[in-house]
Amino acid sequence: MARIIEREKTNIVGEMVKYYRKERRMSQRALSAKLELMGVYVCRGSISRIEDGSRTVTDIEIYALAKALGVSINDLFSNIDGYIDLL
């Protein structure tokens, strides 16, 4: 089955999710629990895979991650230089 994204990393928000989570001294388990309270189930292992770029992230998950971390969606995309070649 062909992958949607033919790169080593499958998302561009993971590094910033990890940055903001650590800045808030929040564990992956705590972030997972906060998401679950919002009705978005992302287990601790999936948080790890999002952060290391090996798991894709849905739009609903991006919205919930931003809300759970207290940042804007744009903040999660603030480190995208070099990921996408728009030319």
Side-chain angles (χ1 to χ4, degrees):
M1 184 159 114
R3 290 178 48 192
I4 295 171
I5 302 171
E6 293 297 334
R7 295 179 183 254
E8 188 173 313
K9 297 223 179 223
T10 60
N11 75 63
I12 58 177
V13 299
E15 290 178 18
M16 296 309 292
V17 168
K18 184 175 185 176
Y19 171 81
Y20 287 116
R21 178 183 61 77
K22 287 187 167 214
E23 186 179 71
R24 282 143 183 75
R25 299 174 196 245
M26 185 184 297
S27 69
Q28 290 174 340
R29 190 169 311 283
L31 179 54
S32 174
K34 200 166 186 180
L35 291 169
E36 189 173 347
L37 289 173
M38 296 166 57
V40 178
Y41 181 73
V42 181
C43 69
R44 193 229 36 96
S46 289
I47 298 290
S48 176
R49 290 187 298 281
I50 288 169
E51 291 180 352
D52 73 17
S54 64
R55 179 189 180 279
T56 59
V57 189
T58 68
D59 53 355
I60 293 168
E61 291 169 337
I62 290 170
Y63 174 82
L65 284 163
K67 191 168 182 174
L69 293 167
V71 299
S72 74
I73 291 172
N74 287 341
D75 289 334
L76 295 181
F77 286 94
S78 65
N79 194 27
I80 65 171
D81 292 340
Y83 280 96
I84 298 175
D85 184 3
L86 298 176
L87 300 176

